[in-house]
Amino acid sequence: MELGISIALILTSLLMILLVLLHKGKGGGLSDMFGGGFSSNFGGSSVVERNLDRLTVITGVVWFVCIIALGLLVKP
């Protein structure tokens, strides 16, 4: 069980990094360097941006639940 949650935590962490970098940047930051060009070409629609926001929030909640569950399992 602990191994499964650890794997889920690693996968959600990587997915969260990817999703945050895909967001449209407000200024000249990391999102412009890595994901800004991609999201500005394909993410011009507000529907796409809204779905990206929802997916980021859902991934964040799953990530948080994995951390809490792993902390409760490892607790001596």
Side-chain angles (χ1 to χ4, degrees):
M1 182 99 167
E2 190 176 321
L3 179 65
I5 294 175
S6 296
I7 291 171
L9 182 63
I10 292 169
L11 291 176
T12 54
S13 297
L14 294 174
L15 184 61
M16 186 69 115
I17 291 169
L18 177 73
L19 290 173
V20 167
L21 286 176
L22 282 176
H23 276 280
K24 186 184 256 186
K26 303 271 190 250
L30 284 178
S31 62
D32 287 337
M33 286 174 54
F34 296 110
F38 179 77
S39 66
S40 65
N41 290 338
F42 296 104
S45 171
S46 63
V47 174
V48 174
E49 189 70 29
R50 226 179 356 234
N51 287 337
L52 184 61
D53 289 341
R54 289 179 187 149
L55 189 58
T56 305
V57 168
I58 290 169
T59 305
V61 168
V62 171
W63 180 80
F64 184 73
V65 168
C66 286
I67 288 182
I68 297 297
L70 196 59
L72 291 175
L73 283 175
V74 174
K75 185 177 178 182

